[in-house]
Amino acid sequence: MEDGSLNTKTGHEAQLPHDYYTCKASHAFDQWFACLTVGRQLSSYYRYGKKSDCSKHWKKYKLCMQMKLRSEESGKALMREYREEENKQRMSQPNVLDVWTLRE
């Protein structure tokens, strides 16, 4: 780099947005509260036959609050674990590609 600083990010981390390892507690709380609203719950009940599970939003809010009490490195490690777990769950759930079958 021209300014003399070293880029310590490697591979995958260099492609991540700059705020990937940050968490805004107010945003997480707003998401949790929006999930609890009557309209959201009725919509979920209409579409899926059950109420929305808002625990993932509460979990993220608690994570954000924990990150505020820790050092920056420790907070990033917490968020990294959270993101990895979130990605594993997302990949294990069915998605739109599972609907289609390949023809021969």
Side-chain angles (χ1 to χ4, degrees):
M1 305 216 154
E2 292 181 15
D3 63 354
S5 65
L6 297 174
N7 186 359
T8 58
K9 295 181 179 179
T10 59
H12 180 65
E13 285 189 6
Q15 297 173 358
L16 296 174
H18 70 282
D19 62 347
Y20 188 76
Y21 292 117
T22 61
C23 186
K24 295 183 180 178
S26 60
H27 186 258
F29 183 82
D30 289 344
Q31 287 180 326
W32 174 71
F33 192 76
C35 181
L36 294 174
T37 60
V38 174
R40 182 81 52 99
Q41 292 297 326
L42 285 174
S43 177
S44 177
Y45 190 76
Y46 177 77
R47 290 180 184 164
Y48 308 111
K50 59 182 179 178
K51 69 177 196 150
S52 283
D53 180 24
C54 301
S55 63
K56 68 178 181 179
H57 299 295
W58 182 250
K59 183 178 178 182
K60 186 167 184 182
Y61 174 69
K62 287 190 335 184
L63 173 78
C64 293
M65 296 306 287
Q66 287 177 356
M67 286 178 65
K68 291 185 177 291
L69 299 173
R70 297 182 178 223
S71 67
E72 185 176 348
E73 297 82 27
S74 179
K76 281 186 177 184
L78 269 177
M79 183 54 86
R80 186 176 296 117
E81 289 173 18
Y82 173 79
R83 296 280 188 188
E84 287 173 1
E85 180 183 323
E86 190 177 54
N87 287 335
K88 276 190 231 176
Q89 287 179 355
R90 187 175 296 135
M91 297 306 257
S92 68
Q93 295 173 349
N95 64 27
V96 72
L97 299 175
D98 294 336
V99 175
W100 304 101
T101 57
L102 184 63
R103 290 185 184 180
E104 292 186 28

